[in-house]
Each structure stands twice: as structure tokens, then as C-alpha cells.
Amino acid sequence: MDPPAVNTATPELQKELVDLVWGRPSNGGVSASIFRRWTQGFVFCENEQSALEQFEGGPCAVIAPVQAFLLKNILFNRESSNWRQISEEDQKTALCSTLSEILESACSSPSTGFCLVTWAKGQSPPKTTQMETLSSTQAQDMPEPESSQPAPELHPTAVAVEDLGFEHFHSVLQKHTFMSASELREEVLSLFHTWRGSCGVLLFLYSVILTKGIENIRNEIQDTMEPLIDPVHGHGSQSLVNLLVTGHAVSNVWDGERECSGMKLHGIHKQASVGFLTLMESLRYCKVGAFLKSPKFPIWILGSETHLSVFFTKEMSLVGPESPSEQARRVFQSFDPEDNGFISESLLEDVMKALDLVSEPEYVNMVKGKLDPESLGIILLGPFLLEFFPEQDSGIPDSFTVYHYNGLKQSNLNERVEYVEGTALVLGFEDPMVRTDDTPVKRCLQTKWPYVELLWTTDRSPSLN
């Protein structure tokens, strides 16, 4: 096996990377407080051993997608049923497998290989104060790091790099290139202590970006002037979330492509492994398409105005293959880009052809007369689905156990990151007898299940923020 190609990041590459991720702030640089919020590693919680902890606002744009894929791998790829209590060795395996999976998804072409961004040799940041206060016995129990890696930290924190400024951080990085997925997975595993150490989140993000290719990302982002991380508030963009979830840095959450004033706007092009729902849809700011709403696994990243959390269940029947009526709804809505709930009758034939329905002109005219008896010139979604796909059983159970994850301690009860367990009731209609609450989590989920009700085991509903 050939050794990986290693280069120190050139000034040109550093500038391209910084411009793409952080933009060009008006004051000439990223503030120390914003940068500090992004300098944490992937740290597992002490009490919820399969959950990652987020120290400050901002890096949820990376941590939440990684947590979603991590849960997929722990819940559905492991034989053990005890998914909340896992050993450090299992944490290592699950995290590194998850990071590798996301990197492989981002790779545009096998011929370009995969990139890992790590500390240049001898340039890792100073150890945290926690490391300095370890007893000699604890220190002896820590595994020996690989020679090119920083020593492992017991509890890496965001303050471990207070003295490592934005400019200096970018001057001490190096890039490794691997030409096969097996080499990549082996190296990601060997760098476990780098990912969980200081700046692990940023090192992984930069690895994904260079694996995808800066030019490829620029070609997918709708507004190339918008950075992946807001340098003023520190929040990640939708393009960044989409890159980690789907491997494509598109700026929109609808299915496929849409045209607006002659411009082609890119959306999601295939079913994602984990999904995405947003409170912004309940406020009618956007419309999430079926490829994100109905993922391969029953795990959804939930977006609020400022934060990302994760909602999940083990109920696989929620994400079965797309039913004919779901496909019909998706296709109909692709001809209704403004989400009006109807299309012009002139588009009916195209919709029927796209669904492989009989589309002879005489039959289409007969259907028009039936679905538009008042000759208004429009076809409504509801009557269209009832005409061709009546009373289809969705196969969803009436109730199922659900969990919510929020990585910020201060957003959890007792300021401890814990999964909040509950029961979801998915009804086919609004029933005032089982009305629960009206919380942001519920409003977010109603964009997928309009009549969902949630009963949580805690006194208060989990927070989206």
C-alpha cells in the first residue's frame, strides 16, 4: 500500500478554504469568540455514552449531522440492544465509521481520492488543564498516541486552544490524500484522539471540504458569496448541513431542480440516509422535499432559527419504500414549485405521464372534467390523490417510541445532555380529545405528520434551541 501524499496547506489553499468557510468579514478577520466556539472536538457525554456534547452555539451544523449518522450506525448496524451505554472502544469504532461514511459520501470522484486535514507534525495545541491535572495512574492508563497525533485528552474542551489564534491555526495544518476507501477508514480510526481533541470538529469539516473539492462546492452553492459559517454569528449554513447529510453543498431543501427567473436552483437529488425537518417550514419560509422528509432511516435533524437537534425512533416502518401515493404527491408537488396545493390543468397530462398513468388526450380531458367541474383551470392535489390513489394504508403504527437529542447542556433538563424519551401518536385527522401541546418540536414534526401528538416522559418538552 502506497503511503498517503502529505502536504502542508499552501497559502493559496489556506485562503481559498478560509474564504469558503468563513467568508471575508468586513473587519478583516473572524472574531476570537466566534472561532473559539468552533474549536471543540467530538466529545461523548459521560452519562449518555452514545451522545455527543456541544459546548457553545455554532458547531451544531457539524455535530448534529454527525450525531444523526452516529445514531444510525449504533441503532441499526450493531447487534447490541443497549445503544445508550457503549464502551469507549465502541465509541471509537462508531465515531470513526461515521466520519468515514460522511467523507466517502462527499467524495466527488474516486480518482481524486480522499483528504484528511490534521495538525502538522509537532504543531498540535497545548494540552488542556484537565490533562495536566491527571493523576499519574490515570495518565498511565491512557493509550499511547500515534507519533503524528497529539496525546489524548480526558475531557477535551473548547478552551483548550484559547492561545491558538485563527491565523495560527490555519498555518499549522497539513493535508493527507488517500486513494482508497479502505486506506481512509484505517487512517480515520488511527486519528480517533485527533477527532475528539481540540479543533477536531474543524479538522473534520476541512477534511470533508477538501475531499469534496472547493471548486465543486462553489459550483453547488447558490450564493457563492455566502460562507459556510456565518463569521458574525457563527452559525452553519444550509449548504454546510446539506453537504454533510447528502454529500452535496446545495443551498435548498426541495427535491430536484427548479427554475426561477431563468436561473436553475439546485435541490436534493436522491433519498438521504438521515432526514431533515425545519421549523422554518411551519412558518412557510421554505418547503422540505420528500428526499429529506422521508429518509432511509427514521432519524431526522431538526432545525430551529438558530440551532440543530436530532429526533429519532427505532420504528423502521416509518421509512419504508415510497408508496404510490407518496410518489404521486412528490411528483405533483414538483409541478407546483410555489406550494399552492394545485397546478394548472395544462400540466395534468405531464403529471400523469410522469406517474405512468394512462395519458391519452381523451382520457386526460375526461379527468380534467371530473377534477375541475367548475372549469377554474386548476387541479387540486387532494382530489387528484383521491382519484388515483384512494384510501391507501400508510403502514405507520398508531403510536411509537421516539427520542430527542440536543447537544447543548444548557438546553437540557438539569443541564445534562440526555435523550428525552416520548411517545408519538400519528393520527389521520385532528382529534381534540388527544390534543397535547403546541411546542416548536411538535410544529417542526407536523411538517411531516400534520396530526402528530407527542407525550414526553419529562415534565417539559425538549427544546429545539
Side-chain angles (χ1 to χ4, degrees):
M1 185 170 68
D2 295 331
V6 180
N7 347 72
T8 302
T10 63
E12 295 78 17
L13 180 61
Q14 286 175 30
K15 184 178 185 310
E16 277 191 84
L17 188 59
V18 169
D19 284 354
L20 177 70
V21 177
W22 303 97
R24 297 172 185 170
S26 55
N27 60 1
V30 176
S31 75
S33 62
I34 293 292
F35 177 60
R36 190 194 69 243
R37 280 156 47 183
W38 277 84
T39 55
Q40 74 164 85
F42 293 105
V43 181
F44 285 95
C45 304
E46 289 184 10
N47 52 302
E48 232 22 303
Q49 291 160 9
S50 59
L52 298 170
E53 187 171 331
Q54 180 183 339
F55 301 128
E56 297 185 73
C60 59
V62 175
I63 292 173
V66 169
Q67 178 70 55
F69 277 92
L70 187 68
L71 285 165
K72 173 184 77 74
N73 291 329
I74 291 173
L75 286 170
F76 300 105
N77 292 357
R78 287 172 77 250
E79 293 182 3
S80 171
S81 59
N82 194 357
W83 55 274
R84 296 175 75 160
Q85 301 293 321
I86 62 175
S87 67
E88 185 173 345
E89 190 58 35
D90 284 341
Q91 288 176 341
K92 176 179 179 178
T93 303
L95 177 65
C96 292
S97 174
T98 295
L99 300 184
S100 297
E101 178 182 0
I102 294 172
L103 282 161
E104 288 173 42
S105 169
C107 184
S108 297
S109 166
S111 63
T112 59
F114 308 91
C115 291
L116 290 180
V117 177
T118 63
W119 302 108
K121 193 162 186 178
Q123 295 291 341
S124 58
K127 307 297 176 286
T128 63
T129 52
Q130 288 96 324
M131 192 65 190
E132 290 165 4
T133 57
L134 280 176
S135 70
S136 58
T137 309
Q138 286 175 305
Q140 287 168 6
D141 290 340
M142 298 293 280
E144 282 295 312
E146 286 78 7
S147 59
S148 62
Q149 299 169 23
E153 300 163 347
L154 189 64
H155 297 298
T157 72
V159 298
V161 287
E162 273 186 339
D163 299 327
L164 183 70
F166 183 83
E167 299 293 336
H168 184 60
F169 168 72
H170 289 92
S171 71
V172 293
L173 303 179
Q174 67 181 15
K175 181 181 83 165
H176 306 251
T177 304
F178 303 87
M179 297 313 295
S180 75
S182 59
E183 289 176 322
L184 171 76
R185 287 182 169 264
E186 193 176 307
E187 188 66 14
V188 169
L189 191 64
S190 75
L191 290 167
F192 174 59
H193 294 297
T194 297
W195 309 127
R196 62 177 256 176
S198 300
C199 295
V201 168
L202 273 180
L203 293 174
F204 172 67
L205 172 58
Y206 287 5
S207 299
V208 172
I209 289 168
L210 294 187
T211 293
K212 173 74 177 179
I214 290 174
E215 194 58 34
N216 290 326
I217 292 176
R218 289 203 185 281
N219 289 336
E220 290 177 346
I221 291 178
Q222 195 165 299
D223 179 2
T224 55
M225 298 305 291
E226 180 193 7
L228 295 180
I229 298 173
D230 182 335
V232 177
H233 301 104
H235 302 134
S237 69
Q238 188 64 50
S239 294
L240 171 51
V241 176
N242 287 347
L243 173 62
L244 295 170
V245 172
T246 70
H248 296 279
V250 295
S251 305
N252 304 298
V253 290
W254 57 60
D255 293 337
E257 295 179 343
R258 294 185 180 180
E259 279 205 13
C260 180
S261 303
M263 282 181 59
K264 191 170 279 188
L265 306 179
H266 302 290
I268 309 300
H269 281 274
K270 66 177 183 178
Q271 184 186 31
S273 291
V274 301
F276 177 79
L277 304 172
T278 173
L279 190 62
M280 296 298 99
E281 181 171 348
S282 72
L283 301 172
R284 297 187 68 81
Y285 283 114
C286 68
K287 176 79 173 176
V288 179
F291 289 143
L292 286 174
K293 263 190 190 163
S294 302
K296 295 176 184 175
F297 293 89
I299 300 168
W300 290 266
I301 298 163
L302 304 185
S304 73
E305 302 93 332
T306 59
H307 188 48
L308 297 171
S309 55
V310 181
F311 175 85
F312 61 102
T313 176
K314 293 188 273 187
E315 185 56 67
M316 281 298 290
S317 64
L318 295 179
V319 290
E322 190 177 47
S323 69
S325 64
E326 287 170 334
Q327 182 196 17
R329 179 184 294 271
R330 175 172 59 78
V331 169
F332 188 100
Q333 289 176 335
S334 72
F335 287 86
D336 174 25
E338 295 180 359
D339 195 28
N340 294 314
F342 63 83
I343 58 171
S344 165
E345 68 165 26
S346 63
L347 294 172
L348 179 61
E349 183 176 345
D350 293 334
V351 172
M352 293 173 71
K353 281 180 179 175
L355 290 169
D356 288 330
L357 298 170
V358 175
S359 54
E360 298 296 327
E362 297 82 1
Y363 180 66
V364 172
N365 286 329
M366 185 194 80
V367 172
K368 283 180 185 175
K370 191 171 184 181
L371 297 182
D372 182 22
E374 297 178 25
S375 300
L376 299 175
I378 60 172
I379 306 295
L380 295 169
L381 172 61
F384 175 80
L385 292 177
L386 278 174
E387 174 67 23
F388 292 103
F389 306 95
E391 298 179 12
Q392 285 204 351
D393 181 14
S394 67
I396 296 175
D398 293 336
S399 68
F400 48 91
T401 302
V402 297
Y403 301 89
H404 182 262
Y405 154 89
N406 188 324
L408 286 169
K409 277 199 299 191
Q410 59 267 35
S411 299
N412 285 261
L413 200 61
N414 304 321
E415 296 204 347
R416 292 200 320 172
V417 175
E418 291 183 325
Y419 298 120
V420 181
E421 184 176 337
T423 300
L425 309 170
V426 176
L427 309 172
F429 54 90
E430 194 165 15
D431 186 345
M433 299 298 290
V434 290
R435 177 74 63 83
T436 51
D437 52 16
D438 182 30
T439 60
V441 171
K442 180 177 166 183
R443 292 200 299 275
C444 194
L445 296 176
Q446 283 174 329
T447 63
K448 177 169 174 62
W449 300 288
Y451 305 117
V452 69
E453 298 294 343
L454 298 161
L455 303 168
W456 300 103
T457 55
T458 50
D459 291 337
R460 72 176 194 192
S461 293
S463 172
L464 273 189
N465 290 312

